[in-house]
Each structure stands twice: as structure tokens, then as C-alpha cells.
Amino acid sequence: MVGQGDWDKASWRKSSRSGSDGSQNGGCVSIAVCASYGAIRDTRNPCRTTIVLPMVALRQVLDEIKDGAFDLR
């Protein structure tokens, strides 16, 4: 099991759709993977809440994001 402090040492990847300042349309997220868990955090404010999910759930969320399930338009 991943400890909460372990995410501080994780290798975070920023979205390829991010602008040069780390944001696009006001926001951006980063993801990291550690063992059988993945985490999502706000790139501009990484000290805030990190969402940790089992890899199966993270893959499902990422697929839904790609399919536009959470688009506000």
C-alpha cells in the first residue's frame, strides 16, 4: 500500500495539453503512478489535495475524461 507521504517523492507527469505556464483554460492536472495506485493533483497547487485511486479506477476516470464525460460545454 502506498503511504500518503510517498506521493511527494513520486514522478509526476503533467498533461500534454498544458500550456507553457502549466495551465490551459485556467487549470491543469498531473498524474503519478506508484505500485497498484495512481494519483491526480492540481499542477498549479500541488500541496493541496491529492486524489489517490486504485489503478483500475484511475484508468476508468482517464478514459472518461478522454471521452468528454466531464466536459462543461
Side-chain angles (χ1 to χ4, degrees), residues 8-64:
D8 293 335
K9 300 172 192 132
S11 178
W12 289 90
R13 294 181 294 151
K14 184 174 60 168
S15 169
S16 61
R17 295 184 179 212
S18 297
S20 61
D21 67 347
S23 66
Q24 181 182 23
N25 297 329
C28 180
V29 296
S30 298
I31 64 167
V33 176
C34 194
S36 59
Y37 289 85
I40 303 171
R41 71 178 184 187
D42 182 346
T43 301
R44 295 186 325 169
N45 198 347
C47 295
R48 295 201 60 180
T49 303
T50 299
I51 300 169
V52 179
L53 301 167
M55 282 304 298
V56 172
L58 179 63
R59 284 188 189 111
Q60 181 178 353
V61 169
L62 294 175
D63 287 343
E64 290 176 3

